């Protein structure tokens, strides 16, 4: 895996407050911002996004029952070339001493998986669905 950080997801306690802060901080136009009920995404270019996500939901993503001390406050995301590449990286994670949180799964966003490195830091692997 040649790491290419595609998305940094930061855990926040107050989504509206965090959005107001980063909206003011970042010099970015409104058409580069996307929001849902549970997140806000700032799209800087085709290769990098910065996402705000509730800390409790990051805890769930990381397989933790709640947001306790030691729960990650961020998730690093790597965009793989294909679903097969996601699965190959997961195999390497296990060999290297990490652990798989969520195996590769299809969703509306594509194919993704989550793993922890040897120190408990959470990564997302993702591949966009193939275009016909």
């Amino acid at each position: 895996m040649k790491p290419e950080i595609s998305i940094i997801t930061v855990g926040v306690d107050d989504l509206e407050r965090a959005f107001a802060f980063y909206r003011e901080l970042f010099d970015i136009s409104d058409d580069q911002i996307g929001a849902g009920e549970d997140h806000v995404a700032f799209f800087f270019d085709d290769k990098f996004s910065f996402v705000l996500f509730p800390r409790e939901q990051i805890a769930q993503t990381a397989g933790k029952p709640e947001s306790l001390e030691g729960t990650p406050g961020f998730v690093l995301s790597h965009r793989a070339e294909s679903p097969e590449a996601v699965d190959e990286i997961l195999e390497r994670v296990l060999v290297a001493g990490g652990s798989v949180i969520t195996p590769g799964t299809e969703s509306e966003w594509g194919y993704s998986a989550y793993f922890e490195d040897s120190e408990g830091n959470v990564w997302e692997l993702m591949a966009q669905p193939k275009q016909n």
Side-chain angles (χ1 to χ4, degrees):
M1 171 176 146
K2 278 187 155 182
E4 179 180 302
I5 306 303
S6 307
I7 301 170
I8 296 177
T9 301
V10 176
V12 299
D13 293 315
D14 184 323
L15 186 59
E16 288 183 33
R17 180 180 64 208
F19 171 62
F21 173 83
Y22 283 105
R23 178 68 184 100
E24 184 67 28
L25 180 65
F26 296 151
D27 184 20
I28 193 168
S29 64
D30 288 342
D31 66 338
Q32 292 176 273
I33 299 171
E37 288 183 29
D38 64 351
H39 73 283
V40 175
F42 298 89
F43 303 103
F44 290 95
D45 59 34
D46 290 341
K47 293 188 175 192
F48 180 70
S49 302
F50 183 83
V51 178
L52 304 173
F53 201 64
R55 193 178 313 274
E56 298 83 27
Q57 290 181 277
I58 287 183
Q60 291 172 1
T61 297
K64 309 292 182 193
E66 55 186 297
S67 182
L68 302 170
E69 183 177 332
T71 299
F74 63 92
V75 174
L76 301 170
S77 299
H78 170 77
R79 187 169 303 146
E81 293 182 19
S82 66
E84 295 79 17
V86 167
D87 292 337
E88 289 170 11
I89 293 168
L90 287 178
E91 290 175 18
R92 292 180 64 189
V93 164
L94 294 173
V95 169
S99 61
V100 174
I101 298 168
T102 306
T105 307
E106 290 286 345
S107 74
E108 63 183 289
W109 307 105
Y111 188 80
S112 65
Y114 290 87
F115 72 88
E116 272 184 338
D117 68 11
S118 62
E119 306 307 305
N121 297 301
V122 177
W123 283 76
E124 173 189 28
L125 300 171
M126 60 185 167
Q128 298 297 318
K130 292 185 179 181
Q131 303 295 323
N132 293 331

